[in-house]
Amino acid sequence: MTYLKSREALLFGAIIFLMSLVATRFPGFIAPDNLVAVFTDTSPLMILAIGQMVVILTRCIDLSVAANLALTGMVCAMINVAMPDLPIGVILAVSLVMGAFLGAINGILVWKLNIPPIVVTLGTMTIFRGIIFLLTEGKWINAHEMSAHFTAFPRASILGMPILGWFGIVVALVAVIAMARTTLGRSIYAVGGNPHAAVYTGINVGRTQFYAFVISGMLAGLAGYLWIARYAVAYVDIAGGFELEVVAACVIGGVSIAGGAGTVIGTLLGALFLGVVKNALPVVDISPFWQLAISGAAIIIAVAFNAQSGRSKGRVILKSAEHSQ
C-alpha cells in the first residue's frame, strides 16, 4: 500500500489518466505504434534527465546539458561529413568521450575552484554554443551532407522499436543498477543527503560531484549524436532551452533540488509525463507555444507537492546501521 502512495505510482497513474483522456477524443493515441513513437520521442529527454538527476542528487545542477548535446552532436556531424565511412561505433565512442570531457570541465571548476554549479554551467552553456558558432560560422549541416548509415542508425528498428528508444531503456537499466549497487551510487546519495556526514565517512564530496558532472556530460554527448542523426540536421541553436525541460523532468519525477533524494524510475516517469503532454497537445489542438507554460506549471505543482509532503528523508544507504539503533 505504501508503494501506491509513492511519487512513482502517482506519476504512473497521472500518465495513464492523461493518455486515457486524450484517447476519448482520439483513440489512435494509445495505439501501440503511437505509444512506441511517443516513447522514442521522449528517449533523449530520458537520457539527459538521468544524467541531470545524478548531478542534482549531489546538490549541484547542470544547465549546460543541452549545449553539450548541441556541441557534441555538431562535432559528430562534422566528423561524418569529413569521413562518411567511419563506423557508427567510432562515432558513438567520440560522442561519449567528448560529452564526458565537457562534463569534466564543469566538474573540475566546481570541485577545484569552488564556483557555484549554476554559475559554472551557465558560463559553459554559453561557451559551448559559442564554440559551435566558431566551428561552423553559423552554417547548418543538413541531411544530404550526412551519410545514410549515420542518420539511419537511431531509426533502425529492433523488435518494433527504434534503436533510439532502446538506448533510453539501456541507459535506464544501467542507471538503476549503478545507483543501487555501486559505491559511487551510494556516495552520490550520501553527498546530497548530508555532505558533512559524507566527509566523516571518508567520501570526497568534490570528487563525487566531479564524477556526477562527467556522467551527465557523457549522457548528453550520447544524446547529441542520437539527436543529430535522428533529425538529420545540426545547427547552433539545436535543443535550445531543452535544459529547462530536463530539470523539469527531474523535479516532476521527485528528485529533490536540495539533493540526496530521487530515483531513476521517478525521473523516467517525469520525462515520460512531459513526453506524453508534448505529444498530446497537438492532438487536442493546443498550440505548441503552451508547452513551456504547461511544463513550468508542472514544475511549480511538483515543487509545491514536494513541500507539502515534507522534505524527503533521503535514501538509507546503511540499513544495517539503521537497524542496529
Side-chain angles (χ1 to χ4, degrees):
M1 294 298 292
T2 303
Y3 179 75
L4 294 177
K5 297 179 182 178
S6 67
R7 171 62 66 91
E8 289 82 357
L10 291 173
L11 260 179
F12 184 74
I15 293 171
I16 296 298
F17 174 76
L18 182 59
M19 290 194 300
S20 302
L21 192 64
V22 177
T24 57
R25 290 187 61 183
F26 300 94
F29 188 77
I30 56 173
D33 289 346
N34 189 64
L35 292 181
V36 169
V38 171
F39 184 85
T40 304
D41 285 342
T42 311
S43 291
L45 177 59
M46 291 166 52
I47 294 171
L48 290 172
I50 289 173
Q52 188 70 257
M53 177 205 74
V54 174
V55 173
I56 292 176
L57 285 177
T58 63
R59 298 193 173 193
C60 298
I61 193 166
D62 187 354
L63 297 180
S64 67
V65 286
N68 185 332
L69 178 155
L71 176 55
T72 307
M74 176 62 79
V75 169
C76 289
M78 294 175 72
I79 291 174
N80 177 252
V81 171
M83 294 176 282
D85 295 328
L86 204 63
I88 293 300
V90 177
I91 295 290
L92 284 171
V94 169
S95 68
L96 290 169
V97 172
M98 182 171 175
F101 174 74
L102 297 179
I105 294 173
N106 291 328
I108 286 288
L109 293 174
V110 171
W111 178 20
K112 295 298 183 182
L113 300 183
N114 289 322
I115 304 174
I118 192 169
V119 176
V120 169
T121 55
L122 272 174
T124 53
M125 177 178 71
T126 306
I127 292 170
F128 295 163
R129 295 280 183 191
I131 292 173
I132 302 174
F133 189 84
L134 291 174
L135 289 174
T136 63
E137 297 180 345
K139 296 177 182 176
W140 290 33
I141 297 179
N142 295 306
H144 68 275
E145 300 174 82
M146 303 178 188
S147 65
H149 73 282
F150 180 86
T151 55
F153 179 73
R155 308 175 193 179
S157 180
I158 299 177
L159 299 177
M161 178 184 289
I163 286 178
L164 177 58
W166 286 109
F167 266 101
I169 293 174
V170 170
V171 169
L173 290 175
V174 171
V176 167
I177 296 171
M179 297 305 293
R181 300 293 181 186
T182 66
T183 303
L184 178 60
R186 290 190 288 271
S187 297
I188 287 170
Y189 278 109
V191 166
N194 191 328
H196 298 295
V199 170
Y200 285 116
T201 60
I203 297 173
N204 188 317
V205 174
R207 183 181 299 162
T208 304
Q209 291 173 334
F210 168 78
Y211 289 143
F213 277 108
V214 170
I215 293 170
S216 176
M218 183 173 61
L219 293 179
L222 173 65
Y225 159 65
L226 296 173
W227 183 301
I228 296 294
R230 188 188 188 215
Y231 295 105
V233 64
Y235 53 92
V236 174
D237 293 327
I238 203 161
F242 201 61
E243 58 276 349
L244 299 180
E245 200 166 328
V246 173
V247 174
C250 293
V251 174
I252 292 170
V255 179
S256 171
I257 289 295
T263 64
V264 175
I265 300 300
T267 304
L268 293 179
L269 290 172
L272 275 176
F273 178 80
L274 290 179
V276 170
V277 169
K278 198 172 185 178
N279 282 273
L281 289 178
V283 173
V284 295
D285 202 23
I286 294 177
S287 168
F289 294 107
W290 279 96
Q291 290 177 13
L292 288 177
I294 292 174
S295 297
I299 294 173
I300 293 173
I301 293 171
V303 172
F305 182 83
N306 284 345
Q308 287 296 321
S309 60
R311 287 288 303 276
S312 173
K313 296 178 181 177
R315 185 182 180 88
V316 177
I317 61 173
L318 296 174
K319 293 184 178 179
S320 58
E322 183 191 49
H323 294 321
S324 66
Q325 292 178 351

